[in-house]
Amino acid sequence: MRIVYALGTSTGGVGTHVRALARDMAAAGHEVGVIGPAATDEHFGFSLLPGVRFACLELGTGIGVGDAALVRRQRSLLRSFDAEVVHAHGFRAGLITLLTLRTLRTRPRFVLSLHNRASGQGLRAKVETRVETMLARGADLVLGASTDLVDRAKDLGADDARFLPAAAPQVEPVSAEAAAAARARLAAEYGFDEGAVIVLAVGRVARQKNYPMLVRALGRLREAGDAESALVVLIAGAADDAVLAEVRTQYEQLGPASAIPALHFLGARDDIAELAATADVYVLTSVWEARALVLQEALIAGKAIVATATGGSPELVGDAGILVADDDDRALAEAVAELASDPARRAELGARARARAAQLPDEREVADKLVSLYTELLSAQVG
């Protein structure tokens, strides 16, 4: 089977998912191409994967006059790949792919994966809805990384929309000794006691992650008294500078640092597995997530999880964590306070997390499911 994946700029879950698909499809003997920006290839190394051809297409983030050139470039690439299936990931890659396919006399089957929901307001929201509708109705198959995305595609007129998860990469276990050493290094670097309860959040410091909710919760923990004085909160991830400055200012305005749990921004890290192993509580405060890879990694690591009940997080976590309403800092503070003071409860949720993780499909299983979907589409086309 000849398969081409198209994606835009990515440094996180989408790129990780597409890399796994390209790797596993090529390993299974399929002819695989990937089309995307050079920076995305540099980050994920598509062009280094055995049996995978990468071609550069500099997809920007906004619709503009340059889109005509992108369509011409992609049309040439698809002809050179002689693709039977083109699988675009995300709105931007999906739009350019749809426009490209409309220029082809003989077109491959078009699969669209949705990993995020549209979040614009006002005029932008209207434009996004029109693009969503075009994509839902123009794709032969729409795949949603969470069931709410599948429902959205169906509401907009998709003939065929189904759920397909993005699986977390395999995580190498971190030994107790390595976790203890990592905790000691963190404590020394950031000046906290090694016995502190570590609350970890992993994710880019950006609007969608809603770290202001976490900061407000820290203010409420101050109100709870001395019981939470041994808490330390670590946020690991690259940052939008403006958002980071706002969150820092918000935290500083809570009052004297000695009266509230310490908060440290670790920046982009390549040791997330070790960080997760050191954590006592894992927190996700996002406004919305489809199927967060970081939540899957927390489940695999057996962490006590507190997450906002938005998007696909409730169906992913189930009863293996504490779910709180979007932007409910009071509920977040109460959940963190409970877990900070109750090691047995943390251990219970950690055991549930491991059990839940054992039920999740891995990358190979997701790729196998996708092969069956591609085969179904091509068979229907022949019929």
Side-chain angles (χ1 to χ4, degrees):
M1 198 180 305
R2 298 183 301 279
I3 307 160
V4 170
Y5 294 105
L7 76 165
T9 301
S10 175
T11 58
V14 175
T16 300
H17 176 56
V18 175
R19 185 185 190 280
L21 292 178
R23 178 200 66 207
D24 291 343
M25 294 296 182
H30 302 287
E31 297 181 33
V32 179
V34 177
I35 295 173
T40 303
D41 179 44
E42 182 178 351
H43 189 87
F44 292 102
F46 294 110
S47 56
L48 302 177
L49 293 173
V52 175
R53 294 170 56 198
F54 178 83
C56 183
L57 185 69
E58 294 297 344
L59 291 167
T61 57
I63 300 172
V65 293
D67 285 0
L70 292 175
V71 168
R72 289 193 296 271
R73 164 71 174 160
Q74 190 179 45
R75 180 174 60 206
S76 175
L77 291 174
L78 292 181
R79 285 173 173 165
S80 71
F81 281 117
D82 191 23
E84 294 176 280
V85 176
V86 179
H87 187 164
H89 291 258
F91 294 112
R92 183 63 176 146
L95 176 60
I96 295 301
T97 299
L98 177 60
L99 295 176
T100 300
L101 294 179
R102 286 179 173 178
T103 70
L104 297 177
R105 182 171 300 174
T106 302
R107 51 162 279 186
R109 302 299 267 174
F110 175 34
V111 180
L112 171 69
S113 275
L114 300 177
H115 298 272
N116 287 289
R117 69 177 185 183
S119 58
Q121 302 293 324
L123 178 60
R124 179 172 178 173
K126 294 180 180 179
V127 173
E128 288 178 345
T129 298
R130 292 191 66 179
V131 172
E132 283 185 284
T133 303
M134 284 176 56
L135 292 173
R137 297 177 181 178
D140 297 303
L141 173 64
V142 179
L143 300 174
S146 57
T147 54
D148 60 326
L149 290 175
V150 175
D151 293 340
R152 172 69 171 170
K154 290 179 178 177
D155 290 342
L156 293 174
D159 287 333
D160 192 356
R162 311 187 201 184
F163 169 67
L164 185 79
Q170 183 176 351
V171 178
E172 292 297 325
V174 177
S175 68
E177 294 77 11
R183 177 181 279 263
R185 288 194 300 271
L186 288 168
E189 182 176 357
Y190 293 100
F192 61 84
D193 188 274
E194 286 187 39
V197 174
I198 295 179
V199 177
L200 175 67
V202 178
R204 186 175 181 83
V205 183
R207 303 288 181 198
Q208 180 188 347
K209 304 303 180 182
N210 196 15
Y211 289 122
M213 174 188 176
L214 178 56
V215 173
R216 295 197 307 273
L218 297 184
R220 292 189 180 278
L221 288 173
R222 171 191 56 196
E223 298 167 7
D226 293 337
E228 283 69 55
S229 60
L231 270 182
V232 59
V233 179
L234 307 178
I235 296 178
D240 295 340
D241 290 339
V243 178
L244 177 60
E246 290 174 11
V247 176
R248 284 188 184 278
T249 299
Q250 179 190 3
Y251 176 72
E252 292 165 358
Q253 290 174 345
L254 290 178
S258 59
I260 52 177
L263 172 63
H264 300 287
F265 296 90
L266 310 188
R269 305 282 296 215
D270 58 6
D271 59 347
I272 297 301
E274 285 191 351
L275 289 176
T278 68
D280 299 292
V281 179
Y282 186 92
V283 168
L284 184 73
T285 54
S286 297
V287 174
W288 184 88
E289 295 280 354
R291 192 177 177 88
L293 294 184
V294 291
L295 268 187
Q296 296 182 62
E297 291 166 351
L299 290 168
I300 294 168
K303 298 291 108 175
I305 294 171
V306 184
T308 44
T310 61
S313 294
E315 60 192 330
L316 174 60
V317 174
D319 65 353
I322 299 174
L323 297 169
V324 299
D326 174 34
D327 210 36
D328 189 345
D329 53 273
R330 181 182 296 278
L332 176 61
E334 291 173 352
V336 170
E338 173 194 349
L339 295 176
S341 61
D342 192 344
R345 176 67 167 149
R346 296 201 300 269
E348 175 196 354
L349 287 179
R352 289 188 187 181
R354 290 188 187 92
R356 176 67 180 136
Q359 300 171 357
L360 301 178
D362 61 22
E363 291 177 325
R364 179 68 260 176
E365 290 171 317
V366 171
D368 288 344
K369 174 62 176 176
L370 200 48
V371 167
S372 68
L373 293 174
Y374 293 160
T375 302
E376 180 183 332
L377 279 178
L378 292 173
S379 298
Q381 186 179 42
V382 171

